[in-house]
């Protein structure tokens, strides 16, 4: 300590002022300013993570509501006695089959009352029922479909994605529920397919500025906010287990985003939905705010540095002039000069 004090005492007045400025002002301001910038960035990141998490919960709630509604519609149709009577009847060449199909209004009622249902199809083994708009025979082509193999192997309702077209003719991926209609008297069954309207899903989900993606099991993404934009497809690599979720920064392609991924398990099936809510503008805003804060900090340090430099120059000249004025009388020079 003595050596340090001795070294400081030997410094010129201007150097002492510079040393005092850097130790008492520059370094503390730099440390405190850096901490405040870092803390502000952390608070912004936490804020965007909370937004992504809240939006993810919103989308999951809407998706659960829509899928549950489709399931209840399918459940009601599977237990409709009029439909069961039509599917289980042996019409032969009797034209009464067409009359029965014409008189049955269950399908039309659902489609007219529920805009979330886009299409209803029933696939039957009953060859005496003529194919129409809603009831279709199980042909060899149908047997080759993956959904038919799964429906034939399991009695549990399940979801699957399928190529479809919206009301404007654009190609989209729609979400379909497949369920069995049991015909115990005939020791047989039919397969019911209800398709969820992609337009209805889009209108309900897209209520925020965040980018939403939804995928099913390992079948890939079937819904994205921008249907024609394939960006963020790598988000499925983050995955989502059935009992946890991920919230935080994500590196998707060449872009760093903030998002939340979480699973949704319907109680009536073994399917696993995954919902991703992505904020692609959060990091851009955080970087902008960080640069502004750093620029303000550097501007303050620069201004104080310039001020201290000018002041030290002036004060040093004053001290030198005072020293000379005190030394001149000892030399017999009594002339007083202004500094």
């Amino acid at each position: 300590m003595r050596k340090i004090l001795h070294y400081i005492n030997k410094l010129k007045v201007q150097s002492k002022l510079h040393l005092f400025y850097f130790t008492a002002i520059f370094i503390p301001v730099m440390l405190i300013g850096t901490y405040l910038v870092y803390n502000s960035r952390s608070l912004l990141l936490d804020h965007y993570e909370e937004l992504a998490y809240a939006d993810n919960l919103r989308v999951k709630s809407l998706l659960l509501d829509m899928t549950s509604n489709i399931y209840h519609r399918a459940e009601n149709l599977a237990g409709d006695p009029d439909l069961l009577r039509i599917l289980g009847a042996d019409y032969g060449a009797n034209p009464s089959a067409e009359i029965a199909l014409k008189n049955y209004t269950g399908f039309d009622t659902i489609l007219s009352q529920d805009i979330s249902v886009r299409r209803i199809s029933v696939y039957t083994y009953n060859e005496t029922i003529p194919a129409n708009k809603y009831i279709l025979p199980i042909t060899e082509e149908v047997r080759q479909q993956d959904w038919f193999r799964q429906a034939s192997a399991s009695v549990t309702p399940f979801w699957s994605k399928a190529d479809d077209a919206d009301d404007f003719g654009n190609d989209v991926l729609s979400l379909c529920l497949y369920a069995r209609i049991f015909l115990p008297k005939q020791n047989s069954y039919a397969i019911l397919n209800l398709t969820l309207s992609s337009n209805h899903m889009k209108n309900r989900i897209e209520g925020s500025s965040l980018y939403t993606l939804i995928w099913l099991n390992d079948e890939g993404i079937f819904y994205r906010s921008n249907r024609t934009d394939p960006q963020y497809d790598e988000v499925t690599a983050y995955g989502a287990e059935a009992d946890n979720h991920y919230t935080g920064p994500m590196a998707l392609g060449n872009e760093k985003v903030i998002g939340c991924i979480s699973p949704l398990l319907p109680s009536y099936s073994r399917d696993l939905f995954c919902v991703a809510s992505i904020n692609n503008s959060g990091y851009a805003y955080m970087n902008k705010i960080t640069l502004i804060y750093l620029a303000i900090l550097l501007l303050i340090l620069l201004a104080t540095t310039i001020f201290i430099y000018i002041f030290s120059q002036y004060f040093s000249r004053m001290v030198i002039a005072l020293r000379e004025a005190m030394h001149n009388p000892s030399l017999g020079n009594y002339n007083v000069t202004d500094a």
Side-chain angles (χ1 to χ4, degrees):
M1 181 61 69
R2 290 179 180 177
K3 289 182 179 180
I4 294 175
L5 292 176
H6 178 70
Y7 174 77
I8 294 175
N9 289 330
K10 291 175 62 178
L11 293 176
K12 295 181 180 180
V13 174
Q14 185 176 0
S15 299
K16 289 181 180 179
L17 289 174
H18 291 168
L19 180 62
F20 172 79
Y21 166 71
F22 278 101
T23 55
I25 299 178
F26 187 90
I27 294 177
V29 170
M30 176 64 75
L31 293 176
I32 295 173
T34 303
Y35 169 75
L36 291 177
V37 171
Y38 172 78
N39 187 60
S40 299
R41 189 177 179 89
S42 299
L43 290 176
L44 282 174
L45 179 60
D46 293 340
H47 171 69
Y48 284 124
E49 287 180 355
E50 291 174 1
L51 285 179
Y53 180 76
D55 188 74
N56 193 268
L57 287 179
R58 179 188 67 85
V59 175
K60 284 172 51 178
S61 176
L62 293 173
L63 181 62
L64 180 62
D65 178 65
M66 288 183 287
T67 54
S68 298
N69 175 64
I70 295 292
Y71 171 73
H72 292 312
R73 293 292 187 183
E75 193 176 37
N76 292 335
L77 282 174
D80 187 350
D82 294 333
L83 180 58
L84 295 177
R85 191 178 304 110
I86 293 174
L87 295 175
D90 185 3
Y91 295 100
N94 195 325
S96 59
E98 296 182 359
I99 299 175
L101 293 174
K102 184 177 180 180
N103 292 333
Y104 181 71
T105 60
F107 301 134
D108 292 324
T109 300
I110 291 177
L111 292 175
S112 62
Q113 294 179 350
D114 193 342
I115 60 174
S116 68
V117 182
R118 173 169 175 76
R119 185 181 298 107
I120 302 175
S121 301
V122 177
Y123 297 88
T124 178
Y125 288 101
N126 191 340
E127 297 178 354
T128 65
I129 300 178
N132 67 353
K133 182 179 179 181
Y134 301 112
I135 300 179
L136 304 170
I138 297 178
T139 61
E140 187 60 31
E141 181 181 358
V142 172
R143 295 174 187 270
Q144 300 302 319
Q145 302 295 322
D146 292 336
W147 62 263
F148 180 81
R149 295 192 183 99
Q150 185 174 351
S152 301
S154 175
V155 298
T156 305
F158 65 92
W159 290 93
S160 181
K161 67 176 185 178
D163 295 327
D164 199 359
D166 60 16
D167 298 333
F168 304 99
N170 301 315
D171 294 333
V172 295
L173 290 174
S174 295
L175 193 61
C176 302
L177 176 68
Y178 294 93
R180 282 194 184 188
I181 299 178
F182 295 97
L183 304 171
K185 293 182 178 180
Q186 290 74 31
N187 194 24
S188 181
Y189 62 88
I191 300 176
L192 174 63
N193 167 23
L194 270 73
T195 302
L196 178 61
S197 171
S198 57
N199 287 332
H200 177 75
M201 180 182 294
K202 179 180 178 66
N203 292 334
R204 293 202 64 186
I205 289 179
E206 294 188 14
S208 71
S209 59
L210 272 65
Y211 196 96
T212 303
L213 299 103
I214 306 175
W215 62 96
L216 173 66
N217 301 324
D218 297 325
E219 297 186 19
I221 297 171
F222 68 86
Y223 176 85
R224 53 169 52 89
S225 296
N226 190 337
R227 297 173 179 173
T228 60
D229 190 353
Q231 67 174 342
Y232 308 144
D233 285 359
E234 314 86 50
V235 73
T236 56
Y238 283 83
E241 301 296 334
D243 57 349
N244 62 15
H245 70 274
Y246 172 81
T247 303
M250 301 178 186
L252 302 179
N254 298 325
E255 189 175 0
K256 194 172 183 180
V257 299
I258 304 169
C260 176
I261 302 176
S262 63
L264 175 62
L265 286 168
S267 58
Y268 50 83
S269 73
R270 301 173 184 174
D271 298 299
L272 176 66
F273 290 95
C274 291
V275 178
S277 298
I278 297 175
N279 188 324
N280 51 12
S281 61
Y283 268 102
Y285 183 77
M286 288 169 55
N287 294 335
K288 178 181 177 182
I289 292 298
T290 301
L291 289 176
I292 292 176
Y293 286 175
L294 288 176
I296 293 174
L297 176 62
L298 293 177
L299 184 62
I300 293 174
L301 292 175
L302 179 61
T304 54
T305 300
I306 294 174
F307 172 78
I308 289 296
Y309 176 77
I310 296 174
F311 175 77
S312 64
Q313 290 278 71
Y314 172 76
F315 188 76
S316 178
R317 287 197 300 267
M318 291 288 292
V319 171
I320 293 174
L322 179 62
R323 183 184 300 170
E324 291 178 353
M326 294 177 64
H327 182 65
N328 284 337
S330 65
L331 300 176
N333 183 8
Y334 296 99
N335 295 323
V336 178
T337 58
D338 293 333

